Amino acid sequence: QVQLAESGGGLVQAGGSLRLSCAASGSSINPMGWYRQAPGKQRELVATITSGGTTTYGDAVKGRFTISRDNAKNTVHLQMNSLKPEDTAVYYCNMNRQRWGLPDYWGQGTQVTVSS
């Protein structure tokens, strides 16, 4: 099984930046992504990236966040700039396994708090 180890969360002021990292064991060919969940809200898509580098972003973060991956190191990053209080959430690293008909792998989450 795969373990996803997240790091980089913390407390920042509005307008600041954070860089999240997720180190995954196992295969590097699966699509990966970041999702977030704020208190009282449903989990939402932040960004995804395929093994070939194709990316998608949630509307709320377009132009501010950038997802990238290093397949050799099996690591995915999320550069978050111009952070807003509404970005406050627990951010979860995800490894998609839908192609194989299997449940996704999820990290335990890292807290991002943006103060106004």
Side-chain angles (χ1 to χ4, degrees), residues 49-92:
I49 185 167
T50 69
S51 62
T54 301
T55 60
T56 62
Y57 294 92
D59 289 341
V61 307
K62 288 180 180 177
R64 299 188 297 119
F65 292 9
T66 302
I67 189 171
S68 61
R69 70 189 291 167
D70 184 337
N71 288 332
K73 298 180 179 179
N74 208 17
T75 301
V76 64
H77 304 281
L78 183 70
Q79 179 66 45
M80 305 185 294
N81 298 326
S82 302
L83 284 162
K84 305 174 181 179
E86 47 263 52
D87 294 319
T88 295
V90 177
Y91 284 69
Y92 297 92

Side-chain angles (χ1 to χ4, degrees), residues 5-64:
E6 299 140 319
S7 62
L11 173 65
V12 298
Q13 292 288 117
S17 298
L18 284 174
R19 181 175 173 85
L20 306 183
S21 297
C22 175
S25 61
S27 176
S28 63
I29 66 172
N30 295 318
M32 297 187 68
W34 292 93
Y35 294 74
R36 67 187 184 186
Q37 187 167 25
K41 297 183 178 180
Q42 295 186 357
R43 187 170 299 186
E44 66 174 346
L45 168 72
V46 176
T48 65
I49 185 167
T50 69
S51 62
T54 301
T55 60
T56 62
Y57 294 92
D59 289 341
V61 307
K62 288 180 180 177
R64 299 188 297 119

